[in-house]
Amino acid sequence: MIASPSTAPKSVTSSDLTLDQIADNINNLVKQGNTSQHQIGVFYNQVVDKRLAELGGYKNARDFFVKRVKALSQATLSAYGTVARNFPEAAATQYGMFNLRALLTYAEVTGTEVPADPGPLLIDVPQEDGTLLKVRFADCTVDDVERATRAKRSPPRPSVPTPDAARLLFIEASVRRHFTGIANVSLSSRNEGGKTLLNMQNVPMVELERFLAAVREGLEAEPTLAAN
């Protein structure tokens, strides 16, 4: 039987629920598995945005969730809430909550605008050989997106030019020969502004002459190889 307008039950939303009812709903949704994660995020945001926990006598939202929703960590609840705030439930079902959370971090780091359906969005995913491959978000794993984010946060330093790298090999070999059994001298290099910079460590002050002799020997060794 179809209820008349006057007797039809009112649809229940998160805004209609008490704090205890929200806790009960979240705990029930947890038992339903992945399909309910977006709904949990909606409830989480309700508690946080309206300060329901504080109004209910808890210190804060974290205190409430720790005491009433023991099956999920604060980090997980926060991730669900972030995704629920930015994506519709359909996107969460299609792509997964943690994929979308990783995408939001990538977008924040790169300044990328994320569309409502992020599937076609291209992500610069680092490959084993150091190159970047543009991959559709829909085809990315969480690990792909997280690696892409790390690469954007810490772009690879420019490599030392090949002639300098070859010359450095001679210098390093010469230093090892001169300091074996004497001191643990180490050398490192980097490319800065197109110039190769050489750093030396652990050179004893009393062995500076030995060090300079080692560098000279490295500079003079087979120069044609270093120039190629």
PDB file of all heavy atoms in Angstrom, residues 23-61:
ATOM      1  N   ALA A  23      26.821   6.988  15.926  1.00  0.00           N
ATOM      2  CA  ALA A  23      27.789   5.960  16.318  1.00  0.00           C
ATOM      3  C   ALA A  23      27.267   4.571  15.974  1.00  0.00           C
ATOM      4  O   ALA A  23      28.000   3.729  15.434  1.00  0.00           O
ATOM      5  CB  ALA A  23      28.082   6.066  17.815  1.00  0.00           C
ATOM      6  N   ASP A  24      25.994   4.317  16.265  1.00  0.00           N
ATOM      7  CA  ASP A  24      25.404   3.009  15.959  1.00  0.00           C
ATOM      8  C   ASP A  24      25.400   2.759  14.453  1.00  0.00           C
ATOM      9  O   ASP A  24      25.689   1.640  13.994  1.00  0.00           O
ATOM     10  CB  ASP A  24      23.979   2.936  16.505  1.00  0.00           C
ATOM     11  CG  ASP A  24      23.937   2.896  18.026  1.00  0.00           C
ATOM     12  OD1 ASP A  24      24.973   2.556  18.634  1.00  0.00           O
ATOM     13  OD2 ASP A  24      22.870   3.218  18.594  1.00  0.00           O
ATOM     14  N   ASN A  25      25.057   3.790  13.682  1.00  0.00           N
ATOM     15  CA  ASN A  25      25.024   3.637  12.225  1.00  0.00           C
ATOM     16  C   ASN A  25      26.405   3.348  11.663  1.00  0.00           C
ATOM     17  O   ASN A  25      26.567   2.483  10.791  1.00  0.00           O
ATOM     18  CB  ASN A  25      24.451   4.897  11.577  1.00  0.00           C
ATOM     19  CG  ASN A  25      22.943   4.862  11.467  1.00  0.00           C
ATOM     20  OD1 ASN A  25      22.379   4.350  10.506  1.00  0.00           O
ATOM     21  ND2 ASN A  25      22.270   5.406  12.475  1.00  0.00           N
ATOM     22  N   ILE A  26      27.414   4.048  12.148  1.00  0.00           N
ATOM     23  CA  ILE A  26      28.773   3.814  11.658  1.00  0.00           C
ATOM     24  C   ILE A  26      29.217   2.399  11.992  1.00  0.00           C
ATOM     25  O   ILE A  26      29.773   1.686  11.135  1.00  0.00           O
ATOM     26  CB  ILE A  26      29.757   4.844  12.257  1.00  0.00           C
ATOM     27  CG1 ILE A  26      29.482   6.240  11.688  1.00  0.00           C
ATOM     28  CG2 ILE A  26      31.206   4.435  11.967  1.00  0.00           C
ATOM     29  CD1 ILE A  26      30.373   7.325  12.262  1.00  0.00           C
ATOM     30  N   ASN A  27      28.962   1.960  13.207  1.00  0.00           N
ATOM     31  CA  ASN A  27      29.368   0.607  13.603  1.00  0.00           C
ATOM     32  C   ASN A  27      28.648  -0.459  12.783  1.00  0.00           C
ATOM     33  O   ASN A  27      29.234  -1.493  12.440  1.00  0.00           O
ATOM     34  CB  ASN A  27      29.118   0.399  15.095  1.00  0.00           C
ATOM     35  CG  ASN A  27      30.137   1.133  15.960  1.00  0.00           C
ATOM     36  OD1 ASN A  27      31.325   1.149  15.650  1.00  0.00           O
ATOM     37  ND2 ASN A  27      29.674   1.748  17.032  1.00  0.00           N
ATOM     38  N   ASN A  28      27.406  -0.204  12.431  1.00  0.00           N
ATOM     39  CA  ASN A  28      26.680  -1.139  11.569  1.00  0.00           C
ATOM     40  C   ASN A  28      27.229  -1.115  10.147  1.00  0.00           C
ATOM     41  O   ASN A  28      27.341  -2.153   9.482  1.00  0.00           O
ATOM     42  CB  ASN A  28      25.190  -0.793  11.558  1.00  0.00           C
ATOM     43  CG  ASN A  28      24.494  -1.162  12.857  1.00  0.00           C
ATOM     44  OD1 ASN A  28      24.913  -2.092  13.538  1.00  0.00           O
ATOM     45  ND2 ASN A  28      23.457  -0.422  13.223  1.00  0.00           N
ATOM     46  N   LEU A  29      27.586   0.075   9.664  1.00  0.00           N
ATOM     47  CA  LEU A  29      28.127   0.198   8.314  1.00  0.00           C
ATOM     48  C   LEU A  29      29.490  -0.490   8.198  1.00  0.00           C
ATOM     49  O   LEU A  29      29.829  -1.035   7.153  1.00  0.00           O
ATOM     50  CB  LEU A  29      28.247   1.673   7.924  1.00  0.00           C
ATOM     51  CG  LEU A  29      26.929   2.398   7.649  1.00  0.00           C
ATOM     52  CD1 LEU A  29      27.166   3.904   7.533  1.00  0.00           C
ATOM     53  CD2 LEU A  29      26.291   1.879   6.362  1.00  0.00           C
ATOM     54  N   VAL A  30      30.268  -0.441   9.282  1.00  0.00           N
ATOM     55  CA  VAL A  30      31.581  -1.095   9.272  1.00  0.00           C
ATOM     56  C   VAL A  30      31.426  -2.579   8.950  1.00  0.00           C
ATOM     57  O   VAL A  30      32.222  -3.166   8.198  1.00  0.00           O
ATOM     58  CB  VAL A  30      32.298  -0.910  10.622  1.00  0.00           C
ATOM     59  CG1 VAL A  30      33.521  -1.810  10.711  1.00  0.00           C
ATOM     60  CG2 VAL A  30      32.709   0.543  10.814  1.00  0.00           C
ATOM     61  N   LYS A  31      30.381  -3.190   9.480  1.00  0.00           N
ATOM     62  CA  LYS A  31      30.155  -4.616   9.262  1.00  0.00           C
ATOM     63  C   LYS A  31      29.778  -4.932   7.812  1.00  0.00           C
ATOM     64  O   LYS A  31      29.911  -6.073   7.364  1.00  0.00           O
ATOM     65  CB  LYS A  31      29.049  -5.112  10.196  1.00  0.00           C
ATOM     66  CG  LYS A  31      29.378  -4.939  11.677  1.00  0.00           C
ATOM     67  CD  LYS A  31      28.195  -5.324  12.550  1.00  0.00           C
ATOM     68  CE  LYS A  31      28.479  -5.066  14.020  1.00  0.00           C
ATOM     69  NZ  LYS A  31      27.298  -5.379  14.870  1.00  0.00           N
ATOM     70  N   GLN A  32      29.339  -3.911   7.065  1.00  0.00           N
ATOM     71  CA  GLN A  32      28.904  -4.132   5.690  1.00  0.00           C
ATOM     72  C   GLN A  32      30.066  -4.124   4.694  1.00  0.00           C
ATOM     73  O   GLN A  32      29.883  -4.467   3.527  1.00  0.00           O
ATOM     74  CB  GLN A  32      27.870  -3.081   5.293  1.00  0.00           C
ATOM     75  CG  GLN A  32      26.600  -3.140   6.121  1.00  0.00           C
ATOM     76  CD  GLN A  32      25.610  -2.045   5.768  1.00  0.00           C
ATOM     77  OE1 GLN A  32      25.657  -1.496   4.660  1.00  0.00           O
ATOM     78  NE2 GLN A  32      24.723  -1.720   6.702  1.00  0.00           N
ATOM     79  N   GLY A  33      31.232  -3.686   5.137  1.00  0.00           N
ATOM     80  CA  GLY A  33      32.404  -3.731   4.262  1.00  0.00           C
ATOM     81  C   GLY A  33      32.619  -2.461   3.459  1.00  0.00           C
ATOM     82  O   GLY A  33      32.117  -1.383   3.788  1.00  0.00           O
ATOM     83  N   ASN A  34      33.367  -2.617   2.354  1.00  0.00           N
ATOM     84  CA  ASN A  34      33.839  -1.472   1.583  1.00  0.00           C
ATOM     85  C   ASN A  34      32.729  -0.614   0.989  1.00  0.00           C
ATOM     86  O   ASN A  34      32.913   0.576   0.769  1.00  0.00           O
ATOM     87  CB  ASN A  34      34.750  -1.950   0.453  1.00  0.00           C
ATOM     88  CG  ASN A  34      36.017  -2.595   0.977  1.00  0.00           C
ATOM     89  OD1 ASN A  34      36.368  -2.425   2.145  1.00  0.00           O
ATOM     90  ND2 ASN A  34      36.699  -3.346   0.137  1.00  0.00           N
ATOM     91  N   THR A  35      31.576  -1.207   0.704  1.00  0.00           N
ATOM     92  CA  THR A  35      30.520  -0.454   0.036  1.00  0.00           C
ATOM     93  C   THR A  35      29.951   0.655   0.905  1.00  0.00           C
ATOM     94  O   THR A  35      29.248   1.531   0.399  1.00  0.00           O
ATOM     95  CB  THR A  35      29.378  -1.394  -0.385  1.00  0.00           C
ATOM     96  OG1 THR A  35      28.887  -2.082   0.782  1.00  0.00           O
ATOM     97  CG2 THR A  35      29.861  -2.418  -1.404  1.00  0.00           C
ATOM     98  N   SER A  36      30.230   0.632   2.195  1.00  0.00           N
ATOM     99  CA  SER A  36      29.646   1.624   3.104  1.00  0.00           C
ATOM    100  C   SER A  36      30.638   2.713   3.511  1.00  0.00           C
ATOM    101  O   SER A  36      30.305   3.573   4.329  1.00  0.00           O
ATOM    102  CB  SER A  36      29.113   0.926   4.355  1.00  0.00           C
ATOM    103  OG  SER A  36      30.184   0.304   5.065  1.00  0.00           O
ATOM    104  N   GLN A  37      31.856   2.696   2.978  1.00  0.00           N
ATOM    105  CA  GLN A  37      32.892   3.615   3.449  1.00  0.00           C
ATOM    106  C   GLN A  37      32.536   5.077   3.208  1.00  0.00           C
ATOM    107  O   GLN A  37      32.811   5.945   4.043  1.00  0.00           O
ATOM    108  CB  GLN A  37      34.219   3.268   2.785  1.00  0.00           C
ATOM    109  CG  GLN A  37      34.783   1.930   3.240  1.00  0.00           C
ATOM    110  CD  GLN A  37      35.987   1.499   2.436  1.00  0.00           C
ATOM    111  OE1 GLN A  37      36.287   2.048   1.379  1.00  0.00           O
ATOM    112  NE2 GLN A  37      36.686   0.479   2.919  1.00  0.00           N
ATOM    113  N   HIS A  38      31.938   5.378   2.061  1.00  0.00           N
ATOM    114  CA  HIS A  38      31.562   6.765   1.766  1.00  0.00           C
ATOM    115  C   HIS A  38      30.507   7.252   2.759  1.00  0.00           C
ATOM    116  O   HIS A  38      30.566   8.397   3.240  1.00  0.00           O
ATOM    117  CB  HIS A  38      31.043   6.877   0.341  1.00  0.00           C
ATOM    118  CG  HIS A  38      30.848   8.296  -0.113  1.00  0.00           C
ATOM    119  ND1 HIS A  38      29.706   9.015   0.148  1.00  0.00           N
ATOM    120  CD2 HIS A  38      31.661   9.132  -0.824  1.00  0.00           C
ATOM    121  CE1 HIS A  38      29.804  10.224  -0.368  1.00  0.00           C
ATOM    122  NE2 HIS A  38      30.980  10.330  -0.959  1.00  0.00           N
ATOM    123  N   GLN A  39      29.542   6.406   3.091  1.00  0.00           N
ATOM    124  CA  GLN A  39      28.507   6.778   4.061  1.00  0.00           C
ATOM    125  C   GLN A  39      29.122   7.045   5.432  1.00  0.00           C
ATOM    126  O   GLN A  39      28.721   7.965   6.140  1.00  0.00           O
ATOM    127  CB  GLN A  39      27.471   5.667   4.164  1.00  0.00           C
ATOM    128  CG  GLN A  39      26.704   5.406   2.872  1.00  0.00           C
ATOM    129  CD  GLN A  39      25.799   4.200   3.005  1.00  0.00           C
ATOM    130  OE1 GLN A  39      24.890   4.185   3.830  1.00  0.00           O
ATOM    131  NE2 GLN A  39      26.054   3.168   2.205  1.00  0.00           N
ATOM    132  N   ILE A  40      30.103   6.235   5.807  1.00  0.00           N
ATOM    133  CA  ILE A  40      30.801   6.466   7.069  1.00  0.00           C
ATOM    134  C   ILE A  40      31.467   7.837   7.040  1.00  0.00           C
ATOM    135  O   ILE A  40      31.433   8.584   8.027  1.00  0.00           O
ATOM    136  CB  ILE A  40      31.839   5.361   7.323  1.00  0.00           C
ATOM    137  CG1 ILE A  40      31.144   4.023   7.566  1.00  0.00           C
ATOM    138  CG2 ILE A  40      32.725   5.710   8.524  1.00  0.00           C
ATOM    139  CD1 ILE A  40      32.089   2.846   7.670  1.00  0.00           C
ATOM    140  N   GLY A  41      32.067   8.189   5.900  1.00  0.00           N
ATOM    141  CA  GLY A  41      32.690   9.501   5.771  1.00  0.00           C
ATOM    142  C   GLY A  41      31.703  10.632   5.934  1.00  0.00           C
ATOM    143  O   GLY A  41      32.016  11.669   6.534  1.00  0.00           O
ATOM    144  N   VAL A  42      30.499  10.455   5.410  1.00  0.00           N
ATOM    145  CA  VAL A  42      29.458  11.475   5.554  1.00  0.00           C
ATOM    146  C   VAL A  42      29.105  11.662   7.029  1.00  0.00           C
ATOM    147  O   VAL A  42      28.990  12.795   7.523  1.00  0.00           O
ATOM    148  CB  VAL A  42      28.205  11.087   4.739  1.00  0.00           C
ATOM    149  CG1 VAL A  42      27.050  12.046   5.050  1.00  0.00           C
ATOM    150  CG2 VAL A  42      28.515  11.103   3.247  1.00  0.00           C
ATOM    151  N   PHE A  43      28.933  10.553   7.749  1.00  0.00           N
ATOM    152  CA  PHE A  43      28.625  10.639   9.174  1.00  0.00           C
ATOM    153  C   PHE A  43      29.783  11.288   9.938  1.00  0.00           C
ATOM    154  O   PHE A  43      29.576  12.095  10.845  1.00  0.00           O
ATOM    155  CB  PHE A  43      28.342   9.244   9.738  1.00  0.00           C
ATOM    156  CG  PHE A  43      26.972   8.710   9.400  1.00  0.00           C
ATOM    157  CD1 PHE A  43      26.820   7.460   8.815  1.00  0.00           C
ATOM    158  CD2 PHE A  43      25.835   9.451   9.687  1.00  0.00           C
ATOM    159  CE1 PHE A  43      25.568   6.970   8.519  1.00  0.00           C
ATOM    160  CE2 PHE A  43      24.574   8.958   9.396  1.00  0.00           C
ATOM    161  CZ  PHE A  43      24.436   7.718   8.799  1.00  0.00           C
ATOM    162  N   TYR A  44      30.991  10.912   9.576  1.00  0.00           N
ATOM    163  CA  TYR A  44      32.170  11.489  10.240  1.00  0.00           C
ATOM    164  C   TYR A  44      32.180  13.011  10.076  1.00  0.00           C
ATOM    165  O   TYR A  44      32.388  13.751  11.051  1.00  0.00           O
ATOM    166  CB  TYR A  44      33.440  10.887   9.639  1.00  0.00           C
ATOM    167  CG  TYR A  44      34.721  11.495  10.160  1.00  0.00           C
ATOM    168  CD1 TYR A  44      35.279  11.063  11.356  1.00  0.00           C
ATOM    169  CD2 TYR A  44      35.365  12.509   9.459  1.00  0.00           C
ATOM    170  CE1 TYR A  44      36.453  11.626  11.843  1.00  0.00           C
ATOM    171  CE2 TYR A  44      36.536  13.076   9.933  1.00  0.00           C
ATOM    172  CZ  TYR A  44      37.074  12.632  11.135  1.00  0.00           C
ATOM    173  OH  TYR A  44      38.234  13.206  11.609  1.00  0.00           O
ATOM    174  N   ASN A  45      31.946  13.470   8.857  1.00  0.00           N
ATOM    175  CA  ASN A  45      31.943  14.919   8.610  1.00  0.00           C
ATOM    176  C   ASN A  45      30.830  15.618   9.390  1.00  0.00           C
ATOM    177  O   ASN A  45      30.998  16.758   9.839  1.00  0.00           O
ATOM    178  CB  ASN A  45      31.787  15.192   7.119  1.00  0.00           C
ATOM    179  CG  ASN A  45      33.010  14.776   6.332  1.00  0.00           C
ATOM    180  OD1 ASN A  45      34.115  14.677   6.876  1.00  0.00           O
ATOM    181  ND2 ASN A  45      32.846  14.518   5.042  1.00  0.00           N
ATOM    182  N   GLN A  46      29.697  14.943   9.529  1.00  0.00           N
ATOM    183  CA  GLN A  46      28.577  15.515  10.288  1.00  0.00           C
ATOM    184  C   GLN A  46      28.999  15.799  11.727  1.00  0.00           C
ATOM    185  O   GLN A  46      28.733  16.875  12.272  1.00  0.00           O
ATOM    186  CB  GLN A  46      27.401  14.537  10.260  1.00  0.00           C
ATOM    187  CG  GLN A  46      26.180  14.983  11.041  1.00  0.00           C
ATOM    188  CD  GLN A  46      25.324  15.964  10.278  1.00  0.00           C
ATOM    189  OE1 GLN A  46      25.557  16.193   9.109  1.00  0.00           O
ATOM    190  NE2 GLN A  46      24.358  16.545  10.948  1.00  0.00           N
ATOM    191  N   VAL A  47      29.670  14.827  12.322  1.00  0.00           N
ATOM    192  CA  VAL A  47      30.109  14.992  13.714  1.00  0.00           C
ATOM    193  C   VAL A  47      31.137  16.113  13.830  1.00  0.00           C
ATOM    194  O   VAL A  47      31.073  16.952  14.736  1.00  0.00           O
ATOM    195  CB  VAL A  47      30.688  13.670  14.250  1.00  0.00           C
ATOM    196  CG1 VAL A  47      31.313  13.865  15.633  1.00  0.00           C
ATOM    197  CG2 VAL A  47      29.600  12.603  14.314  1.00  0.00           C
ATOM    198  N   VAL A  48      32.083  16.147  12.898  1.00  0.00           N
ATOM    199  CA  VAL A  48      33.158  17.143  12.953  1.00  0.00           C
ATOM    200  C   VAL A  48      32.631  18.543  12.652  1.00  0.00           C
ATOM    201  O   VAL A  48      32.899  19.498  13.399  1.00  0.00           O
ATOM    202  CB  VAL A  48      34.282  16.764  11.968  1.00  0.00           C
ATOM    203  CG1 VAL A  48      35.305  17.889  11.884  1.00  0.00           C
ATOM    204  CG2 VAL A  48      34.952  15.471  12.393  1.00  0.00           C
ATOM    205  N   ASP A  49      31.883  18.676  11.563  1.00  0.00           N
ATOM    206  CA  ASP A  49      31.449  20.004  11.111  1.00  0.00           C
ATOM    207  C   ASP A  49      30.489  20.668  12.093  1.00  0.00           C
ATOM    208  O   ASP A  49      30.538  21.891  12.290  1.00  0.00           O
ATOM    209  CB  ASP A  49      30.781  19.895   9.741  1.00  0.00           C
ATOM    210  CG  ASP A  49      31.741  19.460   8.646  1.00  0.00           C
ATOM    211  OD1 ASP A  49      32.962  19.500   8.898  1.00  0.00           O
ATOM    212  OD2 ASP A  49      31.284  19.071   7.554  1.00  0.00           O
ATOM    213  N   LYS A  50      29.617  19.894  12.713  1.00  0.00           N
ATOM    214  CA  LYS A  50      28.614  20.467  13.612  1.00  0.00           C
ATOM    215  C   LYS A  50      29.025  20.363  15.076  1.00  0.00           C
ATOM    216  O   LYS A  50      28.231  20.683  15.961  1.00  0.00           O
ATOM    217  CB  LYS A  50      27.266  19.789  13.393  1.00  0.00           C
ATOM    218  CG  LYS A  50      26.699  20.051  12.002  1.00  0.00           C
ATOM    219  CD  LYS A  50      25.237  19.666  11.901  1.00  0.00           C
ATOM    220  CE  LYS A  50      24.669  20.092  10.547  1.00  0.00           C
ATOM    221  NZ  LYS A  50      23.212  19.820  10.436  1.00  0.00           N
ATOM    222  N   ARG A  51      30.261  19.924  15.311  1.00  0.00           N
ATOM    223  CA  ARG A  51      30.796  19.829  16.679  1.00  0.00           C
ATOM    224  C   ARG A  51      29.844  19.058  17.593  1.00  0.00           C
ATOM    225  O   ARG A  51      29.630  19.394  18.763  1.00  0.00           O
ATOM    226  CB  ARG A  51      31.068  21.226  17.238  1.00  0.00           C
ATOM    227  CG  ARG A  51      32.074  22.023  16.430  1.00  0.00           C
ATOM    228  CD  ARG A  51      32.342  23.385  17.041  1.00  0.00           C
ATOM    229  NE  ARG A  51      32.960  23.271  18.356  1.00  0.00           N
ATOM    230  CZ  ARG A  51      34.251  23.073  18.574  1.00  0.00           C
ATOM    231  NH1 ARG A  51      35.077  22.977  17.551  1.00  0.00           N
ATOM    232  NH2 ARG A  51      34.728  22.984  19.802  1.00  0.00           N
ATOM    233  N   LEU A  52      29.283  17.975  17.028  1.00  0.00           N
ATOM    234  CA  LEU A  52      28.318  17.190  17.791  1.00  0.00           C
ATOM    235  C   LEU A  52      28.962  16.504  18.987  1.00  0.00           C
ATOM    236  O   LEU A  52      28.318  16.322  20.028  1.00  0.00           O
ATOM    237  CB  LEU A  52      27.673  16.140  16.876  1.00  0.00           C
ATOM    238  CG  LEU A  52      26.828  16.674  15.711  1.00  0.00           C
ATOM    239  CD1 LEU A  52      26.234  15.520  14.925  1.00  0.00           C
ATOM    240  CD2 LEU A  52      25.734  17.598  16.225  1.00  0.00           C
ATOM    241  N   ALA A  53      30.228  16.101  18.843  1.00  0.00           N
ATOM    242  CA  ALA A  53      30.903  15.426  19.948  1.00  0.00           C
ATOM    243  C   ALA A  53      31.047  16.360  21.143  1.00  0.00           C
ATOM    244  O   ALA A  53      30.760  15.977  22.290  1.00  0.00           O
ATOM    245  CB  ALA A  53      32.272  14.920  19.492  1.00  0.00           C
ATOM    246  N   GLU A  54      31.479  17.574  20.887  1.00  0.00           N
ATOM    247  CA  GLU A  54      31.635  18.544  21.971  1.00  0.00           C
ATOM    248  C   GLU A  54      30.283  18.849  22.623  1.00  0.00           C
ATOM    249  O   GLU A  54      30.182  18.942  23.864  1.00  0.00           O
ATOM    250  CB  GLU A  54      32.260  19.834  21.447  1.00  0.00           C
ATOM    251  CG  GLU A  54      33.728  19.707  21.036  1.00  0.00           C
ATOM    252  CD  GLU A  54      33.893  19.205  19.609  1.00  0.00           C
ATOM    253  OE1 GLU A  54      32.914  18.657  19.041  1.00  0.00           O
ATOM    254  OE2 GLU A  54      34.994  19.358  19.056  1.00  0.00           O
ATOM    255  N   LEU A  55      29.244  18.983  21.799  1.00  0.00           N
ATOM    256  CA  LEU A  55      27.904  19.246  22.329  1.00  0.00           C
ATOM    257  C   LEU A  55      27.379  18.060  23.125  1.00  0.00           C
ATOM    258  O   LEU A  55      26.532  18.221  24.023  1.00  0.00           O
ATOM    259  CB  LEU A  55      26.941  19.572  21.178  1.00  0.00           C
ATOM    260  CG  LEU A  55      27.211  20.879  20.416  1.00  0.00           C
ATOM    261  CD1 LEU A  55      26.288  20.997  19.215  1.00  0.00           C
ATOM    262  CD2 LEU A  55      27.024  22.079  21.352  1.00  0.00           C
ATOM    263  N   GLY A  56      27.884  16.873  22.799  1.00  0.00           N
ATOM    264  CA  GLY A  56      27.446  15.666  23.493  1.00  0.00           C
ATOM    265  C   GLY A  56      28.267  15.343  24.726  1.00  0.00           C
ATOM    266  O   GLY A  56      28.084  14.265  25.325  1.00  0.00           O
ATOM    267  N   GLY A  57      29.184  16.214  25.110  1.00  0.00           N
ATOM    268  CA  GLY A  57      29.943  16.014  26.334  1.00  0.00           C
ATOM    269  C   GLY A  57      31.308  15.381  26.157  1.00  0.00           C
ATOM    270  O   GLY A  57      31.995  15.105  27.146  1.00  0.00           O
ATOM    271  N   TYR A  58      31.737  15.162  24.907  1.00  0.00           N
ATOM    272  CA  TYR A  58      33.078  14.614  24.656  1.00  0.00           C
ATOM    273  C   TYR A  58      34.072  15.763  24.506  1.00  0.00           C
ATOM    274  O   TYR A  58      33.700  16.899  24.183  1.00  0.00           O
ATOM    275  CB  TYR A  58      33.075  13.763  23.391  1.00  0.00           C
ATOM    276  CG  TYR A  58      32.258  12.500  23.506  1.00  0.00           C
ATOM    277  CD1 TYR A  58      30.892  12.504  23.209  1.00  0.00           C
ATOM    278  CD2 TYR A  58      32.832  11.306  23.930  1.00  0.00           C
ATOM    279  CE1 TYR A  58      30.134  11.347  23.323  1.00  0.00           C
ATOM    280  CE2 TYR A  58      32.076  10.141  24.045  1.00  0.00           C
ATOM    281  CZ  TYR A  58      30.724  10.180  23.742  1.00  0.00           C
ATOM    282  OH  TYR A  58      29.967   9.037  23.864  1.00  0.00           O
ATOM    283  N   LYS A  59      35.339  15.465  24.726  1.00  0.00           N
ATOM    284  CA  LYS A  59      36.371  16.509  24.594  1.00  0.00           C
ATOM    285  C   LYS A  59      36.418  17.047  23.170  1.00  0.00           C
ATOM    286  O   LYS A  59      36.554  18.245  22.948  1.00  0.00           O
ATOM    287  CB  LYS A  59      37.747  15.954  24.995  1.00  0.00           C
ATOM    288  CG  LYS A  59      37.904  15.697  26.477  1.00  0.00           C
ATOM    289  CD  LYS A  59      39.347  15.370  26.826  1.00  0.00           C
ATOM    290  CE  LYS A  59      39.799  14.084  26.158  1.00  0.00           C
ATOM    291  NZ  LYS A  59      41.182  13.700  26.572  1.00  0.00           N
ATOM    292  N   ASN A  60      36.343  16.164  22.210  1.00  0.00           N
ATOM    293  CA  ASN A  60      36.387  16.530  20.802  1.00  0.00           C
ATOM    294  C   ASN A  60      35.921  15.332  19.976  1.00  0.00           C
ATOM    295  O   ASN A  60      35.584  14.271  20.530  1.00  0.00           O
ATOM    296  CB  ASN A  60      37.798  16.973  20.376  1.00  0.00           C
ATOM    297  CG  ASN A  60      38.868  15.993  20.848  1.00  0.00           C
ATOM    298  OD1 ASN A  60      38.698  14.778  20.767  1.00  0.00           O
ATOM    299  ND2 ASN A  60      39.987  16.525  21.358  1.00  0.00           N
ATOM    300  N   ALA A  61      35.919  15.503  18.660  1.00  0.00           N
ATOM    301  CA  ALA A  61      35.453  14.430  17.778  1.00  0.00           C
ATOM    302  C   ALA A  61      36.333  13.191  17.919  1.00  0.00           C
ATOM    303  O   ALA A  61      35.836  12.057  17.912  1.00  0.00           O
ATOM    304  CB  ALA A  61      35.427  14.914  16.336  1.00  0.00           C
TER     305      ALA A  61
END
